[in-house]
Amino acid sequence: MNDQLRWRYWPIRLKLLFLTMLVSTLGIALVCVSLIVLENRTYRNQMESELHVIASILAEQSAAALLFEDREQLRSISSSLRQIETITQACVFDAAGMLLTSLNEPDKVTCPDLSTAPVMGFEANAYKLMVPVTLDQEVLGYIYLNSHLKVLRAHIQSFVMAAVGIGLLIQLLLLFVAYKLQRIVSHPILALSDTAEQIAIEHDYSIRAPVSGHDELGRLSATFNDMISTIQLQNRRILESRDSLERKVEERTAQLSLANRELEAFSYSVSHDLRQPLRAIEGFSQALEEDCEENLNDLGKDYLRRVRAASVRMSNLIDGLLVLSRVSRQTVEAEPVDLTSLLQEICDELCSIGDRPPTEIHIQPDMAVTGDSRMLRVAFQNLLENAWKYSSKKDRRRIEVTSTSDSAGAVVKVQDNGAGFDMKYVEKLFVAFNRLHTPSEFGGTGIGLATVYRVIRRHHGEVWAESELGKGATFYVKLPHSAEQR
Amino acid sequence: MEGYSILVVEDNPDDQVLTVRALKNASKNCQIVVLEDGQAAIDYLFGNGADEALNKLGVVLLDLKLPRVNGLEVLNKIRSSPRTNWLPVIMVTSSDEPGELLEAYRLGANSYINKPINLREFTDQMNVLARYWLQVNKVPRAGSVRKV
Amino acid sequence: MRTRIRRCLLNLWKGLLAITLCVGLSQVQASVRSEYEVKAAFLYNFTRFINWNQPPSEDTPLTVCVLGDDPFEDLLDPLVGRKAHGRVLQLRTPSEQTEMSGCHVLFVSESERFNLRAILEQATRQGMLTISDIPDFTRHGGIVGYVKQGNVIRFEINLLAAGEAGLTINSRLLELAAKVIR
């Protein structure tokens, strides 16, 4: 079935018109039917009384003829009825019920047999009437009349036609009037609907629906306008706050890029300008040691050695700071990284530098993560160096790197059996320049884990540690498969 | 080896002293010319008496960061002129910022040295450098070509 | 609704039938009637369609007289006690003209035809309805005269005579008359 034809798809204008016309049609039909019924009854009554009058006249006329049994006269009396065309048969009976005369041949429309009581009144197509002929209260005979109802039928038919015709005319008029009047109701609804549609399409919340009257429709339009005003206000606020947010973001971005430039300048000066005097200190200390050795006593030599050691530490510190600033500034690439071979390379380097390699190094094969390989190298280099360093005092040094992976990402576990740390200070672990051991226990800059933290955070990952003092530490690095994931 | 000189462009006096000491340790007889900034280097290479200087010059040690005219500008100038574009230029820096290094190589630097903190290490580097660029490597000199 | 009306009509019809049956039966019995039987019935019927202009009060009976030889024998006897215009009919047989005053309806017998003029004069004067089967009775000034057309007995009316006698004759009766003298 076509959707357009279903009631719910009708436009409201059509619905209103349809309902109005339905009611008016019903009303007009009822009026017409009642009029027809009434007319039918009135006409029948009229016809009945007319026939009664005719029959009475006939009875009066035929009384004498009946008494004198003058059939000739009776025939002439009854034949006068021929002029009334509705009467199809007229029969005259004597008092004994014997048929004396009839208007037409009896076989055309039969005269009733009076020995059995005939049915009088309206029948299918005829009205039958029997009146007694009396004289001085004495019944002399009977007159029977049979009238066809063709005239009644024709009359009612023409009446029905007229009623239907007039009804249709009135309907047409009402249709016109209803069409004009339905606008009173439908116009505000349509205006409201159009407004709503326009607002929905154009997103222009300054449009208002016209408010007409103080009825429900008027109130609906007014309420709708209020709602749109509220939306407009909220929209404006949202836009304003968005603008201010954008402004803030712009400001922050500008501040950030300024800070970034400053940091760049700073790191440059750290690497160049701070190194230069350090190199001078170290260089001249060494030159002093080599060129003026014979002029220095043991104490002087010791002082010189301390100067040189301090300059080396400072050099390391500067290098660490540079790395930290670099991993903070550089853009992070997202590429598949073969973590196993990366870790293996780092271990090989560490083994080649260090004097005593660990007893046991276990690196899980086929570990793969997503990230920036250079940065990850820095991070894992720091973690492995830590494991290296803090396990250096154990007899059996064991370093193990394993990984578990799920749909969200991979968790890499770097475990050693070294000195470990007190979980009390775990909060300070990843903060730059915070050290959990004295320089005499383990050397270090306090920048390594801060760098690890920075690298992993920039990969949208997490890093945390567990440890028990004296039993080693475990560092967990969680990296999402994609850098965009959090 | 004795005939060629080494030009050192270095603004920091401490580094000048340390560089000269390292070069002297590497090669006792080589002649070392020390200039303090980029403009002085340009004047030396392109000013009066430049031809005589160029004839004796074996290699240039150019600090990346110099006051007024910086090292990259001096390098660009050297590579832009046919009189000097044959000169071996070794960039010397105390920074390992990759951006400037790449720029230096793009402009035609022959090598690069990151000045180490340790003096002995620096002396070793200078030794290798002097031996390679003054003895092993033979550059086609603009002056000698002109002579022929 | 309609069936109830029909039932009412049916009941009415049954009642009417019952009333008329008794009358009807006697008439059916006399289906083959003698001449004077018919004439006697006619005589009674005439009284019902003729009005006397100065009618005596309804209490006084309507006197039907047969003057001369009575051809009806006892055929008129059933008329006694019946009513016309609300008046009870009574029968007299005056033997002479002199005895006929007081009569309202006067049947003049064949035997009196030679004295007809005098009888009719008196009868007209006294407002009597004169009826006879004397030939040309109406032409001689009688009001209603029986005539025989074949086997059918009919009647003639002299409207002038009736007017003179102060009688009005129902037009329905006139319609049935074989001849009306006006």
Side-chain angles (χ1 to χ4, degrees), chain A residues 231-243:
Chain A
I231 290 172
Q232 189 181 20
L233 192 70
Q234 287 174 347
N235 222 23
R236 196 158 53 223
R237 279 186 193 149
I238 290 168
L239 286 176
E240 277 169 8
S241 70
R242 195 187 68 183
D243 286 351

Side-chain angles (χ1 to χ4, degrees), chain A residues 407-422:
Chain A
S407 61
V411 177
V412 182
K413 194 164 102 174
V414 182
Q415 201 170 13
D416 66 65
N417 64 340
F421 57 89
D422 193 337

